[in-house]
Amino acid sequence: NAGVTQTPKFQVLKTGQSMTLQCAQDMNHNSMYWYRQDPGMGLRLIYYSASEGTTDKGEVPNGYNVSRLNKREFSLRLESAAPSQTSVYFCASSEPTLGEQFFGPGTRLTVL
Amino acid sequence: DAKTTQPPSMDCAEGRAANLPCNHSTISGNEYVYWYRQIHSQGPQYIIHGLKNNETNEMASLIITEDRKSSTLILPHATLRDTAVYYCIVRPRGYNQGGKLIFGQGTELSVKP
């Protein structure tokens, strides 16, 4: 089992460019999450999907869109990247009745 | 969800027990206490969780006070590899809001030789 995988691992964008961060899990979990972590800070929830077909805003959703493509995949899109979106992005999945979330290795994004 | 308070940093000598405190005075009856840690630049890793009884697994022990307003994560024999940021989170178990976690600032634990 690969667990939670994220692509790409690193990305550099120019202001105004768009991109999609991909996340997939092979644990058959119902819920998936996107977090961002700025230097020296804790993780902040951007969006989550409690189950296939649903998505909800987290703490910091502005500037992002998400798609729960199927039970395995949950993507995060930046339509017009801004320097304030420079961060490390983590995807996670869980079975909510168990509580434990499993995290991917992260995508390090720099917006110039 | 209840808010948690943790010291920003702590030191511990290698081989000694590391005791990380967490205050969650507004915890409600259906909320669990979860602990995660994040080793530098990696994704957070689940450690342990509990409701009101003390819990132990291969990584750590969790001691929750009788009034449930605070808890302590214990790493019995800390090693250099335990150097990380430790997050204490309280949330209901189950499908409430899809099981989302709200991370605070955590405690940066430095284990020193």
Side-chain angles (χ1 to χ4, degrees):
Chain A
N1 284 353
V4 179
T5 57
Q6 294 183 234
T7 55
K9 287 186 169 50
F10 301 92
Q11 184 71 47
V12 178
L13 293 178
K14 294 180 180 178
T15 298
Q17 287 185 316
S18 62
M19 79 161 294
T20 300
L21 282 64
Q22 306 287 354
C23 175
Q25 53 95 5
D26 62 3
M27 294 172 282
N28 202 36
H29 287 161
N30 277 296
S31 299
M32 296 185 73
Y33 315 84
W34 276 106
Y35 297 87
R36 62 176 286 174
Q37 186 172 34
D38 300 332
M41 304 285 287
L43 281 78
R44 291 184 291 171
L45 183 65
I46 305 171
Y47 270 94
Y48 67 101
S49 171
S51 60
E52 188 178 356
T54 69
T55 60
D56 285 284
K57 295 178 181 179
E59 302 173 88
V60 288
N62 291 345
Y64 304 96
N65 287 301
V66 291
S67 295
R68 184 74 182 268
L69 305 171
N70 48 54
K71 192 171 185 180
R72 288 188 63 249
E73 297 172 289
F74 188 39
S75 63
L76 179 72
R77 182 161 179 84
L78 288 70
E79 290 291 351
S80 178
S84 60
Q85 295 177 305
T86 293
S87 191
V88 181
Y89 291 84
F90 290 103
C91 177
S93 72
S94 79
E95 195 50 54
T97 54
L98 300 177
E100 177 182 356
Q101 285 192 16
F102 294 83
F103 285 80
T107 293
R108 282 146 185 82
L109 175 66
T110 300
V111 183
L112 302 175
Chain B
D1 294 347
K3 190 173 179 180
T4 62
T5 304
Q6 299 177 252
S9 63
M10 293 182 63
D11 291 339
C12 177
E14 188 177 20
R16 305 296 294 269
N19 297 284
L20 292 95
C22 180
N23 182 286
H24 34 78
S25 58
T26 60
I27 193 170
S28 59
N30 68 336
E31 288 182 315
Y32 286 71
V33 180
Y34 286 83
W35 283 85
Y36 284 74
R37 74 179 183 184
Q38 186 176 25
I39 296 170
H40 179 63
S41 78
Q42 298 180 19
Q45 175 191 23
Y46 166 83
I47 302 173
I48 198 167
H49 75 277
L51 182 63
K52 56 183 178 180
N53 298 319
N54 298 339
E55 302 287 345
T56 295
N57 62 21
E58 64 278 4
M59 290 182 68
S61 295
L62 174 61
I63 309 297
I64 302 174
T65 57
E66 192 168 343
D67 63 6
R68 302 209 322 122
K69 293 184 177 182
S70 65
S71 60
T72 302
L73 178 74
I74 300 172
L75 308 178
H77 305 286
T79 71
L80 298 178
R81 286 175 294 181
D82 292 321
T83 292
V85 178
Y86 288 77
Y87 296 99
C88 169
I89 302 165
V90 294
R91 60 165 289 274
R93 195 174 185 183
Y95 277 88
N96 182 19
Q97 297 184 318
K100 69 178 184 179
L101 300 174
I102 302 296
F103 285 78
Q105 296 301 307
T107 295
E108 185 167 7
L109 175 69
S110 295
V111 180
K112 299 183 184 300

